[in-house]
Amino acid sequence: MNRTLNKILLLTALWAICTNIFAECPPSPHDSQPSPSSPPSPEINAKEIILEHIQDSYWWHITNIGEREIVIHLPVIVYSTTRGFHVFSSSRIEHARSYEGFRIAEEGDNAGKIVETNGNGEEVRPVDLSLTKTALALVVSALVMLAIFLSVARRYGRRPKYAVPSGFAGAVEMMVMSVEDDIIRKSIGKDYARYSPYLLTAFFFIFINNLMGLLPVFPGGANVTGNIAVTLVLALCTMAAINLFGNREYWKEIFWPDVPLWMKFPIPLMPVIEFFGVLSKPFALAIRLFANITAGHAVILSFACTIFVTVKMGAAVNAGMTVLSVLLMVMMSFLEILVAYIQAYVFTMLSSVFIGLSRPEHAHKPDKIK
């Protein structure tokens, strides 16, 4: 079982490293020698390239074949308060084009989002229900999870009752048991079983999306867990599990904690602090996951762009920085594979701890010594 898991992790690491090294980046000026009459090549804007890869988009760029771009144009679904629903392909508004009064804003607060101009000449955002790159990646990752766990369940149904699982099914069982026994059960306690389905789903959802985000080839490469909206929804699910199923002792500690009376009445100082603690827990979960994943992607892309930024510094400097950048990208890729697991582990662990704290046992006061 351990040998199979090691093979899976090794193949994943090699695939992530190879694809990250050859990730999409600006073409090198040395790839083709321009003629004397051709205009000079534009400056490389590393910030724009990094943000373009990290942010969500209305299409999914796969690769370039010569001067031809292979792009999956996703459906745009918007609702205008004055003109109703509009459905069209994102190819209509690509390259700063406008279609039916809609376009993608290039600057301002709505940069990268679909906008329209109202009757007063103001730029406003319609209700956007489009299938974006992140949304499509969520569908893909959900299908991957279904394929994994349904295939494992099918293997369990076919094997003898007391047979020891092996191969891929054994590796998945080992991860499930590790998360449930080492994280969920120890953090929550006796009622852990009722929360296991959600926490296991959250763990594998984050872990699989983190791994797929390291693969810049379709269907990987989307920055799903680096999207604040996705991490916020996960954190709100944990918040619901904490507050909807918290017991009486939990709510008593929030609204009437065991502190001196002057800290609760007439000014509810401690209840207000405890209530802000309820709101800060999901906020911390969302920001922690979002920031760590986004930072990892940005660092790898920065190393890749360094190769092209240093071209004008001379052949010697560029060759040295190319070797250094590739080595750092390999190291960061290994680190990001570890971070993919760690962030899933940390989110599940903190969610389990918060849920366990919402179900404290009644504290009995010790008998007085006579």
Side-chain angles (χ1 to χ4, degrees):
M1 184 184 300
N2 291 334
R3 185 178 300 175
T4 303
L5 181 60
N6 290 336
K7 290 181 180 179
I8 294 173
L9 293 177
L10 179 60
L11 290 175
T12 304
L14 292 175
W15 176 248
I17 291 169
C18 292
T19 51
N20 268 308
I21 292 175
F22 297 103
E24 178 191 353
C25 215
S28 173
H30 297 305
D31 290 344
S32 59
Q33 297 295 331
S35 60
S37 60
S38 62
S41 58
E43 293 288 338
I44 299 298
N45 191 335
K47 178 182 177 181
E48 181 180 345
I49 294 170
I50 293 172
L51 291 178
E52 181 182 353
H53 282 73
I54 292 176
Q55 292 177 347
D56 199 4
S57 64
Y58 293 94
W59 45 77
W60 196 319
H61 185 279
I62 298 177
T63 187
N64 288 354
I65 301 178
E67 297 182 355
R68 182 183 178 186
E69 294 184 349
I70 306 300
V71 181
I72 298 177
H73 291 101
L74 303 174
V76 174
I77 306 172
V78 291
Y79 175 76
S80 173
T81 55
T82 57
R83 297 180 292 155
F85 276 102
H86 293 260
V87 181
F88 52 89
S89 172
S90 61
S91 61
R92 302 281 189 175
I93 54 176
E94 194 177 12
H95 304 303
R97 289 183 297 179
S98 177
Y99 180 75
E100 295 184 353
F102 300 99
R103 60 184 176 83
I104 297 179
E106 296 182 353
E107 56 185 12
D109 296 335
N110 298 323
K113 303 296 182 181
I114 294 179
V115 296
E116 64 175 336
T117 304
N118 60 13
N120 299 325
E122 300 173 344
E123 183 182 271
V124 296
R125 286 193 61 191
V127 179
D128 195 349
L129 305 175
S130 305
L131 181 66
T132 61
K133 180 179 179 179
T134 300
L136 180 59
L138 285 171
V139 175
V140 173
S141 62
L143 294 176
V144 171
M145 290 181 64
L146 285 174
I148 291 174
F149 291 107
L150 290 179
S151 63
V152 171
R154 191 177 300 111
R155 292 185 185 183
Y156 269 81
R158 294 175 180 175
R159 71 182 180 89
K161 186 175 182 181
Y162 297 104
V164 177
S166 60
F168 182 73
V172 173
E173 181 188 8
M174 185 178 65
M175 293 191 68
V176 170
M177 292 180 63
S178 174
V179 173
E180 188 169 50
D181 295 340
D182 297 339
I183 303 177
I184 302 175
R185 179 183 295 179
K186 291 183 179 180
S187 301
I188 298 178
K190 62 181 182 180
D191 294 333
Y192 77 95
R194 66 186 302 184
Y195 302 100
S196 289
Y198 162 67
L199 293 172
L200 285 170
T201 302
F203 173 84
F204 283 100
F205 173 81
I206 296 172
F207 183 53
I208 290 174
N209 277 290
N210 288 348
L211 290 180
M212 293 185 65
L214 295 175
L215 308 176
V217 292
F218 184 81
N223 189 26
V224 175
T225 45
N227 189 307
I228 189 62
V230 175
T231 60
L232 181 61
V233 170
L234 288 172
L236 291 177
C237 291
T238 298
M239 182 180 180
I242 294 171
N243 296 294
L244 292 180
F245 302 105
N247 59 17
R248 184 178 302 177
E249 292 294 323
Y250 168 72
W251 291 108
K252 178 181 178 297
E253 290 178 1
I254 293 176
F255 293 107
W256 199 256
D258 189 14
V259 294
L261 183 62
W262 63 270
M263 301 185 72
K264 299 180 288 187
F265 183 84
I267 301 176
L269 180 62
M270 286 304 299
V272 170
I273 294 175
E274 292 289 343
F275 182 74
F276 274 104
V278 173
L279 300 178
S280 65
K281 291 174 183 177
F283 181 78
L285 287 174
I287 295 298
R288 181 188 299 273
L289 179 59
F290 159 75
N292 282 282
I293 299 302
T294 301
H297 286 285
V299 170
I300 293 177
L301 290 168
S302 300
F303 289 146
C305 291
T306 301
I307 301 172
F308 305 94
V309 172
T310 58
V311 167
K312 293 186 177 181
M313 297 182 182
V317 175
N318 183 238
M321 292 303 300
T322 298
V323 174
L324 180 61
S325 297
V326 171
L327 291 176
L328 291 174
M329 288 173 65
V330 171
M331 294 173 58
M332 279 300 302
S333 297
F334 275 113
L335 181 61
E336 281 299 293
I337 294 172
L338 179 61
V339 169
Y341 176 81
I342 290 176
Q343 290 306 314
Y345 181 94
V346 169
F347 185 94
T348 309
M349 181 189 66
L350 291 178
S351 297
S352 302
V353 170
F354 293 154
I355 292 173
L357 293 175
S358 71
R359 305 186 62 81
E361 298 293 335
H362 181 71
H364 296 282
K365 294 182 178 180
D367 296 334
K368 295 182 179 180
I369 300 176
K370 296 182 180 180

